[in-house]
Amino acid sequence: MPKIKSNSGAAKRFKKTANGFKHKQSFRSHILTKKTTKRKRQLRGMKQIHAADKPLIQRMLPTL
């Protein structure tokens, strides 16, 4: 049997953790001048994937 390829786009966006997957938050890449300091600070960290999305990501990343 051939090896199962993981989705390369998903591999760049999600990292596996003990509890599931983590991802970088959106709305932090450009047009930052109109966003408040508080909003940008709260967008800084990584977030857990929602439980409903977990099966989809596991299907895209079978090797992780």
Side-chain angles (χ1 to χ4, degrees):
M1 290 296 293
K3 289 183 180 179
I4 299 172
K5 287 188 177 182
S6 54
N7 184 302
S8 60
K12 293 169 192 173
R13 286 170 173 80
F14 306 110
K15 298 291 173 233
K16 183 113 171 76
T17 63
N19 301 326
F21 294 90
K22 63 182 182 177
H23 71 101
K24 184 184 170 204
Q25 293 188 74
S26 56
F27 303 107
R28 189 57 214 274
S29 55
H30 61 95
I31 315 175
L32 297 171
T33 52
K34 63 176 78 168
K35 293 172 185 147
T36 63
T37 309
K38 178 183 177 180
R39 186 172 162 194
K40 289 185 278 190
R41 185 175 61 245
Q42 289 176 339
L43 289 170
R44 217 178 270 161
M46 304 282 271
K47 290 281 184 177
Q48 282 292 114
I49 291 295
H50 195 272
D53 296 325
K54 195 173 174 183
L56 299 169
I57 294 163
Q58 282 176 331
R59 204 171 118 202
M60 288 191 281
L61 303 172
T63 56
L64 297 182

